[in-house]
Amino acid sequence: VVSETGQNKICYVAAHTAVIYDWIERQQLVLQGHCNRITCLGVTEDKSCIITADAGQDAMVVVWEAATGQPLRTINNPHPAGVAAMDISPSGQQIVIVSAPSHFQAEDGQDALEQEVSLWDLSDQGSLETPAAVGTIPA
């Protein structure tokens, strides 16, 4: 639910689009910009921002202003295969992302899957080019 006191809005995903729907006014605000199917949706604790992420080629994470539907910040290609899961800090200033599995050749020659966990700083001082921290999830 994306609503402050006195507002009645929800946000949901439909393929590569997110929608903010006001069920009292019967109006919807469409958040467009993803080229792939959206895999994650989150809302900051203060309900001011919506964050969407997708998986696939040219994946992205987008921070949207909930009131207007305008994109505020974008992380392009956060991981090679995109995003499988994410969570937002209570302050809304950091986001942790679990990558979608990507294939690699293991030492024994077998095809294997690998995932990463990354921490991103969404504050104005944070870089959206590289994560603040990255770790690999063992296969």
Side-chain angles (χ1 to χ4, degrees), residues 17-117:
T17 302
V19 179
I20 302 171
Y21 180 67
D22 182 328
W23 66 76
I24 299 296
E25 299 294 326
R26 298 196 184 278
Q27 295 179 346
Q28 59 185 13
L29 184 59
V30 179
L31 310 179
Q32 295 179 314
H34 288 277
C35 296
N36 303 303
R37 179 180 57 86
I38 295 173
T39 55
C40 302
L41 173 101
V43 179
T44 56
E45 195 171 281
D46 67 0
K47 310 283 193 243
S48 65
C49 295
I50 295 166
I51 302 175
T52 55
D54 66 54
Q57 191 174 24
D58 299 323
M60 62 173 53
V61 176
V62 182
V63 179
W64 308 88
E65 183 177 36
T68 65
Q70 293 298 309
L72 299 174
R73 311 232 26 214
T74 301
I75 301 171
N76 292 305
N77 296 309
H79 294 285
V83 178
M86 70 175 186
D87 200 6
I88 308 160
S89 68
S91 69
Q93 295 298 302
Q94 293 85 27
I95 182 173
V96 65
I97 296 173
V98 176
S99 71
S102 59
H103 292 275
F104 73 99
Q105 188 104 30
E107 289 180 18
D108 62 4
Q110 299 293 318
D111 191 30
L113 294 175
E114 181 176 78
Q115 287 181 281
E116 291 182 331
V117 176

